[in-house]
Amino acid sequence: MTPRRSIRTVAALALVAALAGPLASQAQTKPPTSAAQTAPAADPVGDLLRARGERYHRAPDSAQDPDELRRTQALNAEITAQNDLAENEDRANAAAFAKAQAQYQAELEQADASARAAQERHEADLRTAAEAQAAYDRQMADWRATVAACERGDRARCNAGRQTPN
């Protein structure tokens, strides 16, 4: 801190101390006021800042520079428009996401259904193949039994085996 700045700080503190004395005595002599008289108009920004422990005092619009007030209102309108645009974009993105999610879910269900159908076809093919293999094994066992009977000289069985049952 520079010496010039420290002198200003000391002078400011002295001024505050000098003003605090008369204000404190005035505060003691003032009659109490009702809560309705002391409650300021609704100021959400001020309430928020006070809740954070900050000091805030908003000057009434009539005490502000009209050009500055007009620029502030224009900036606020621009910010509100940008916020509205961003909110609309968020809504559109959420709708697009929901649509894509629904489409994905439908495709997933279709793929699951196709996979189940393919699995059922595969299992049916396996049953058909097992049945065909069992029939083949029975026919081969019968043929071997017939061959063995022919080799033993059992002509009845040997001749019966030549007939193909259908």
Side-chain angles (χ1 to χ4, degrees):
M1 189 160 33
T2 64
R4 181 174 238 176
R5 200 179 262 180
S6 63
I7 293 172
R8 286 183 187 163
T9 306
V10 171
L13 290 174
L15 180 62
V16 169
L19 292 176
L23 289 177
S25 64
Q26 285 178 357
Q28 292 174 356
T29 60
K30 279 188 177 178
T33 57
S34 69
Q37 292 174 342
T38 59
D43 186 8
V45 174
D47 295 342
L48 177 67
L49 292 174
R50 279 189 288 280
R52 290 183 178 174
E54 297 181 21
R55 301 181 74 147
Y56 177 78
H57 173 73
R58 182 181 188 281
D61 290 345
S62 61
Q64 294 183 17
D65 178 25
D67 186 48
E68 182 180 356
L69 186 60
R70 182 192 54 75
R71 284 183 292 165
T72 300
Q73 289 172 344
L75 288 172
N76 286 343
E78 181 181 342
I79 290 170
T80 300
Q82 289 174 353
N83 289 346
D84 290 345
L85 182 65
E87 188 173 329
N88 290 338
E89 188 175 321
D90 286 347
R91 282 191 193 119
N93 288 342
F97 176 78
K99 182 180 177 182
Q101 187 70 19
Q103 182 177 354
Y104 167 78
Q105 193 64 36
E107 290 173 1
L108 184 63
E109 290 170 2
Q110 178 65 33
D112 286 345
S114 296
R116 280 192 303 276
Q119 182 66 26
E120 290 171 2
R121 283 192 305 273
H122 174 69
E123 290 172 1
D125 290 346
L126 288 177
R127 284 191 299 275
T128 302
E131 291 169 1
Q133 184 67 43
Y136 171 78
D137 291 343
R138 285 191 303 273
Q139 289 173 354
M140 283 303 293
D142 185 50
W143 179 79
R144 286 186 184 109
T146 302
V147 168
C150 288
E151 288 175 353
R152 286 190 313 265
D154 182 1
R155 292 280 179 211
R157 171 74 195 241
C158 189
N159 289 333
R162 290 186 185 178
Q163 300 171 359
T164 57
N166 287 337

